[in-house]
Amino acid sequence: MIEQKTERVHPGQVDLVTEIYTGFGWTLTYSDEVYDENTEIVGVDVKAYGDGIVGSFMKGFTGNDGTVNVRRRRNITNYAVLTFSRDTGMANYEELKELERQYYGYLDCADEPRKPVKRTVISAILWGLIIVSVIMAIFDTSIKAELWEIIVCVAVPLVTLPLVILSWVNYKKKYAAYENCIAVLSDILNQAYEISNTADSHI
């Protein structure tokens, strides 16, 4: 019996998806790229010139009572449709099917974590402002810091520094787990290719 699967993917992922499916004994039987572009009106802004001096001048100058701005949005749909087939009677079918199940079970952890850059940058800007303020207060004795300013200068580093450190520690842990996940996925796919190549060599 022949089983089939159809995937809709980004055109840039066609080779990667095909490579993965091929490893588990699938054959690409059909592919097509879909591209559609259209423009839709999302709103209209109407602005009258008014009856004042400027408004009267603009009416006379343009010959219109106001302006009409039509807001448009361009929509682009672009994806590839891939259809794969696999013979359920092929050699080592059950082994490949089990490896495939394991592979897709690990895909949830294959998203690369984001670095906490935004939080770090915001914290750095706040620290910079505090440092500049403190330096100005030291060299300009006429500046008298108010109580709330002192509290802010003390509280901001005490709050943001641990948060930034914790964010990077968590990122490192997540990235280590991500790398381990990628290694497992690669190992499973390599096993599948070895089994597929062995089956092909016996044909």
Side-chain angles (χ1 to χ4, degrees), residues 112-200:
E112 184 175 353
R114 292 184 179 182
K115 294 180 179 180
V117 176
K118 184 177 180 180
R119 176 174 292 179
T120 304
V121 170
I122 293 175
S123 298
I125 292 173
L126 292 175
W127 299 339
L129 291 174
I130 291 173
I131 291 172
V132 171
S133 299
V134 171
I135 292 175
M136 288 177 61
I138 292 174
F139 287 96
D140 189 347
T141 55
S142 64
I143 297 177
K144 302 296 181 181
E146 296 184 12
L147 179 61
W148 69 268
E149 293 175 324
I150 297 174
I151 293 175
V152 168
C153 289
V154 174
V156 168
L158 289 177
V159 173
T160 59
L161 184 58
L163 285 176
V164 170
I165 294 174
L166 184 60
S167 296
W168 280 100
V169 170
N170 287 335
Y171 166 75
K172 293 294 184 181
K173 290 180 179 179
K174 290 179 179 179
Y175 193 81
Y178 162 76
E179 287 187 317
N180 179 67
C181 182
I182 295 299
V184 171
L185 288 171
S186 179
D187 182 60
I188 292 174
L189 192 57
N190 287 335
Q191 290 181 52
Y193 264 105
E194 289 179 6
I195 294 174
S196 295
N197 293 334
T198 301
D200 292 338

Side-chain angles (χ1 to χ4, degrees), residues 19-91:
E19 180 183 352
I20 293 172
Y21 268 83
T22 301
F24 297 113
W26 295 90
T27 301
L28 179 63
T29 56
Y30 173 82
S31 66
D32 184 34
E33 183 173 346
V34 177
Y35 184 90
D36 179 62
E37 182 177 336
N38 63 77
T39 302
E40 65 174 324
I41 296 176
V42 296
V44 178
D45 299 322
V46 179
K47 182 179 179 181
Y49 287 135
D51 297 323
I53 297 176
V54 176
S56 299
F57 171 79
M58 292 301 295
K59 287 178 183 179
F61 183 74
T62 63
N64 298 314
D65 292 331
T67 60
V68 178
N69 178 41
V70 180
R71 288 181 282 113
R72 296 179 174 86
R73 179 174 62 198
R74 188 174 67 166
N75 300 316
I76 297 177
T77 301
N78 188 206
Y79 61 88
V81 178
L82 308 176
T83 299
F84 299 90
S85 63
R86 181 171 63 180
D87 188 353
T88 58
M90 67 185 295

